[in-house]
Amino acid sequence: MQVTEADYRSFYRDMRRQRYLDEESARNGAFSYDTLDGEDFIVDSLPLLDEVVPDKLLLEQMLLCFGLLAEGDRVLLTALYFEGQSEDAVSRALGVTQQTVNKWRKRAIRRLKKLMRI
């Protein structure tokens, strides 16, 4: 079958373009829904909104109340929970026993809960 040179170039340009798009899709991890058979399905791994919102609101309330704590309580809880230090490490840094740090931690958490009204 004979075609004009313009038709020939247009056909191969379109073929090259489609090959390029297919390669880019494969590189980016895209797939076609047409390739799914009846047994395949896509699972949404995102948490449900009604599960996320209460946690976020509780976290915001806790951070607000955290700012209302005395400086010593904030420093202690920050070291233990945000910086991941052990009670033993904090006790050595403060020059007190580990049991004292444990008692201070429990007291600071009680104060935080009281501020949050839990």
Side-chain angles (χ1 to χ4, degrees):
M1 172 154 92
Q2 290 187 347
V3 295
T4 66
E5 185 176 339
D7 289 339
Y8 176 82
R9 288 182 186 274
S10 174
F11 175 77
Y12 278 99
R13 182 179 59 239
D14 291 342
M15 276 186 42
R16 282 193 309 270
R17 174 73 177 153
Q18 188 59 48
R19 188 178 323 125
Y20 168 77
L21 292 174
D22 292 343
E23 289 170 356
E24 284 298 301
S25 294
R27 187 175 63 84
N28 291 316
F31 70 95
S32 171
Y33 288 108
D34 296 334
T35 62
L36 297 176
D37 58 17
E39 298 174 15
D40 293 331
F41 58 92
I42 298 174
V43 177
D44 184 8
S45 62
L46 295 175
L48 297 174
L49 188 61
D50 61 343
E51 295 172 355
V52 174
V53 171
D55 292 342
K56 182 159 177 54
L57 292 174
L58 188 60
L59 178 62
E60 288 176 359
Q61 180 187 9
M62 188 206 62
L63 291 175
L64 178 68
C65 292
F66 189 80
L68 299 174
L69 286 173
E71 183 179 356
D73 290 341
R74 281 196 319 267
V75 169
L76 178 67
L77 293 177
T78 299
L80 293 172
Y81 293 103
F82 295 108
E83 296 173 0
Q85 296 182 29
S86 67
E87 288 182 359
D88 191 48
V90 172
S91 69
R92 279 185 266 123
L94 296 176
V96 295
T97 66
Q98 181 268 329
Q99 291 84 1
T100 302
V101 170
N102 184 279
K103 184 173 76 172
W104 289 349
R105 178 187 61 83
K106 288 179 182 178
R107 186 180 63 206
I109 290 174
R110 273 195 312 273
R111 289 176 179 160
L112 182 60
K113 284 182 178 182
K114 186 176 178 181
L115 287 171
M116 293 179 66
R117 309 237 188 313
I118 291 180

